[in-house]
Amino acid sequence: MDDERHRYVIIGAGPAGLQLSYFLQRAGADYLTLEREHAPGGFFRRYPRHRRLISLNKVNTGEKEREIQLRWDWNSLLCDDGPDLRFDAYSREYFPHADDLVRYLGDFHALHGLNVRFDTPVTRVGKRDGLFEVHAGDRVVRAECVIVASGWSGPYVPDIPGIELATGYEDVPTAGEEFTGRRVLIIGKGNAAFETAMALLPHASVIHLASPSPVRLAWTTKHPGHVRGQYGALLDSYWFKTLHAVLECTVDKLERHGEGVRASITYTLADGERAELDYDAVLRCTGFVMDTGLFAEECRPEMAPGGRLPAIRPDFRSANVDGLYFAGTLMQARDFKRASSAFVDGFRYNLRVLAALLGERYDGVPLPEGAVPAEAEALTRSMLARVNHSSALWTQFEYLCDAYVVDGGVRHYRDLPEDYAVERFGGGLTFTVTLRWGRRDYADVFAIRRHPEPERAEECAFLHPVVRAWRGGELLAERHLLEDLQARWDDPVRHAEPLRAFLARWLPG
């Protein structure tokens, strides 16, 4: 077999693989991206099954500056120089069609001339003599660093006796008419389950969605991966007694019963009550999983709790394999169900950071930094400018931060994972700046009592800036700034003065 060598090998040319390829190419790095399919974005040629994305495409924002527009453009990849390829040129729909994203990804690859080798499935990843060996087609590609951006390997199939009687999400008919008059059990309560149920809603006689835990609504958790508001009609039909229902239960067993399927269930919120329910069809919509079978034993990554995602360090490295990194939806373990690392609008910023960290480690390029005077007034201006402007801090709330390291002057680092910044710079006095939500346990998220006094800003419910002071890896104190309807934190009394006073307490002199 032919042998070749690169510093970086990226596996996968979906949105994450293309975004990272762009950043590495812009830096002049020696990289190669391998893709098993004939074109980018293979996942989105198949999913979502009913072809509507849940990623927002808010074209009309009233904002002129591209950086701020990106806060509500959840599909564009970042282009920091050269042609700015924008997704709104491909779709003006608020919830766009998946085919439009596939077209966009193809053009992003072509326009930037990215070094992607298509029709090249990776069959094995091993490691020998300090280098990775990536078996791809008729070649073995050796690399110092491998970044896995291949996304999900396949569906997650729960360990339920008789689960083979269920049709998987990957094979569910997209024409709801095929379920006309039928009783349907959908195992799962995520967006895929609700997407499927909505297609059946006008046709099926009974739709039950089942999982052990209650529905988690995005407007309550503030996480875009939880059930979104556009699926509210199904929940309406439940409470309006149309025979459709959302069941909190374990599915203990499925078995053939006549021409249908009988499900044995145990309710999780009803003192262990059990039931047997009959259906004409059972659909499995339980999400996806990463398959580690690709990796040889010497470089098989540890998995995060739950077993679906790789465990990663704060710098996106594998928890147990040095030189192995993860990109895209596979880099969400550290902000799981919190920020947006599972989605394009979140991981595009993670990848900008990852490219900088890789450049520092492998190419000797220092991590970009700025300088700010060690004065409360100067720091206040810098911090407020960032929270008012940055799309990364906005989208990757509670995860990415700006770090201000006090060392004579102040070194300013942008858009780092907060846990990474604390680990790297926490020896001396360091400030981190993030945007954070407040409490999530309100009885009614549409009737939250507010207290618009600066000294009660920690009680804010909406997204708002939080500045933290660290030393030696320990949190010393934090300052919340009042939420603002227009997301403009520039009021002299409500924002600037409380922040200035907080910073002055910690700065030398």
Side-chain angles (χ1 to χ4, degrees):
M1 290 187 290
D2 292 333
D3 219 10
E4 66 177 297
R5 179 169 171 173
H6 296 275
R7 176 153 287 169
Y8 308 101
V9 167
I10 301 170
I11 302 174
L18 295 182
Q19 182 71 90
L20 185 57
S21 297
Y22 169 82
F23 286 128
L24 292 180
Q25 181 158 298
R26 188 187 63 172
D30 172 24
Y31 81 97
L32 172 66
T33 300
L34 303 173
E35 169 56 46
R36 63 185 174 187
E37 300 201 19
H38 69 281
F43 181 88
F44 291 99
R45 282 194 289 276
R46 295 182 291 275
Y47 303 109
R49 289 286 292 155
H50 297 88
R51 310 308 291 146
R52 285 291 163 188
L53 302 175
I54 61 172
S55 50
L56 304 186
N57 182 38
K58 192 175 189 293
V59 174
N60 299 301
T61 66
E63 300 285 350
K64 303 300 183 185
E65 190 172 352
R66 181 60 180 152
E67 175 67 16
I68 298 178
Q69 291 172 349
L70 281 167
R71 293 181 170 189
W72 305 287
D73 173 353
W74 289 12
N75 300 283
S76 291
L77 299 181
L78 300 179
C79 305
D80 291 342
D81 57 4
D84 186 5
L85 195 62
R86 299 168 52 142
F87 184 75
D88 60 10
Y90 292 76
S91 175
R92 311 287 288 182
E93 295 184 86
Y94 196 69
F95 294 108
H97 198 283
D99 290 348
D100 294 325
L101 181 58
V102 172
R103 289 192 301 114
Y104 171 80
L105 296 175
D107 287 352
F108 187 93
H109 161 257
L111 181 65
H112 296 293
L114 302 177
N115 189 24
V116 181
R117 187 175 297 164
F118 293 105
D119 296 310
T120 308
V122 173
T123 56
R124 184 175 179 272
V125 178
K127 198 172 187 182
R128 182 163 58 94
D129 299 330
L131 291 177
F132 290 94
E133 295 182 330
V134 181
H135 295 250
D138 60 352
R139 293 173 180 263
V140 175
V141 184
R142 307 190 80 201
E144 297 174 54
C145 174
V146 167
I147 307 101
V148 181
S150 53
W152 300 116
S153 303
Y156 170 69
V157 181
D159 186 17
I160 298 172
I163 191 64
E164 68 276 3
L165 298 176
T167 300
Y169 175 67
E170 63 276 12
D171 296 316
V172 169
T174 57
E177 293 84 352
E178 295 193 26
F179 296 91
T180 297
R182 307 182 76 192
R183 296 173 56 87
V184 181
L185 171 65
I186 299 176
I187 302 176
K189 288 204 206 100
N191 282 302
F194 274 84
E195 167 208 328
T196 302
M198 288 293 291
L200 273 57
L201 193 58
H203 309 288
S205 61
V206 171
I207 304 170
H208 289 169
L209 282 76
S211 75
S213 302
V215 174
R216 304 198 72 186
L217 299 172
W219 59 54
T220 300
T221 66
K222 313 300 188 294
H223 178 63
H226 286 141
V227 176
R228 303 288 287 281
Q230 64 261 41
Y231 301 133
L234 190 283
L235 295 174
D236 279 355
S237 71
Y238 174 30
W239 289 112
F240 293 155
K241 304 178 289 297
T242 65
L243 300 182
H244 305 315
V246 178
L247 310 180
E248 285 68 52
C249 68
T250 59
V251 178
D252 302 316
K253 181 174 62 174
L254 299 173
E255 55 187 340
R256 183 67 66 190
H257 184 71
E259 295 184 359
V261 178
R262 174 165 290 175
S264 300
I265 68 170
T266 301
Y267 291 102
T268 54
L269 299 179
D271 299 325
E273 178 189 2
R274 297 185 176 185
E276 291 185 340
L277 302 174
D278 293 331
Y279 299 96
D280 300 303
V282 179
L283 310 179
R284 168 180 44 80
C285 299
T286 48
F288 298 89
V289 67
M290 175 187 170
D291 180 10
T292 60
L294 177 72
F295 298 92
E297 188 62 35
E298 69 271 12
C299 61
R300 182 164 293 137
E302 291 180 5
M303 302 300 282
R308 298 198 197 189
L309 290 164
I312 59 174
R313 303 181 191 185
D315 62 354
F316 311 114
R317 254 187 304 171
S318 167
N320 66 308
V321 182
D322 192 27
L324 179 64
Y325 292 78
F326 296 93
T329 195
L330 298 180
M331 65 197 320
Q332 63 174 295
R334 300 192 74 87
D335 69 327
F336 186 65
K337 300 298 184 184
R338 187 158 46 96
S340 295
S341 293
F343 306 95
V344 172
D345 66 309
F347 65 61
R348 62 190 178 191
Y349 301 106
N350 294 357
L351 294 172
R352 185 166 64 189
V353 177
L354 175 57
L357 296 177
L358 294 176
E360 181 181 47
R361 179 179 183 186
Y362 292 97
D363 296 310
V365 180
L367 191 67
E369 65 176 63
V372 182
E375 302 168 355
E377 178 62 33
L379 279 174
T380 297
R381 288 196 303 269
S382 176
M383 291 177 180
L384 292 183
R386 287 291 293 153
V387 296
N388 282 309
H389 182 259
S390 169
S391 59
L393 298 181
W394 175 273
T395 303
Q396 287 295 69
F397 53 84
E398 302 180 13
Y399 183 55
L400 295 187
C401 76
D402 274 22
Y404 292 80
V405 183
V406 181
D407 183 14
V410 177
R411 290 177 284 131
H412 177 203
Y413 299 88
R414 296 186 175 193
D415 303 337
L416 298 176
E418 189 175 34
D419 53 359
Y420 174 80
V422 171
E423 181 180 276
R424 175 165 175 168
F425 304 119
L429 178 63
T430 298
F431 298 106
T432 60
V433 182
T434 59
L435 291 171
R436 311 186 80 86
W437 294 97
R439 286 172 45 199
R440 291 172 166 86
D441 59 349
Y442 295 98
D444 185 346
V445 296
F446 298 107
I448 297 173
R449 182 171 296 279
R450 298 172 57 248
H451 304 285
E453 297 87 29
E455 293 310 311
R456 299 186 68 174
E458 70 278 2
E459 300 175 44
C460 289
F462 199 67
L463 202 66
H464 63 281
V466 177
V467 179
R468 290 173 165 174
W470 306 82
R471 182 178 283 121
E474 294 187 7
L475 179 62
L476 304 176
E478 64 180 25
R479 176 73 211 196
H480 294 243
L481 301 183
L482 280 175
E483 60 198 1
D484 184 81
L485 181 63
Q486 302 299 320
R488 296 187 179 120
W489 296 283
D490 53 12
D491 185 274
V493 175
R494 292 160 57 89
H495 304 125
E497 183 51 40
L499 177 56
R500 188 183 302 111
F502 173 78
L503 295 171
R505 286 170 45 201
W506 299 102
L507 291 172

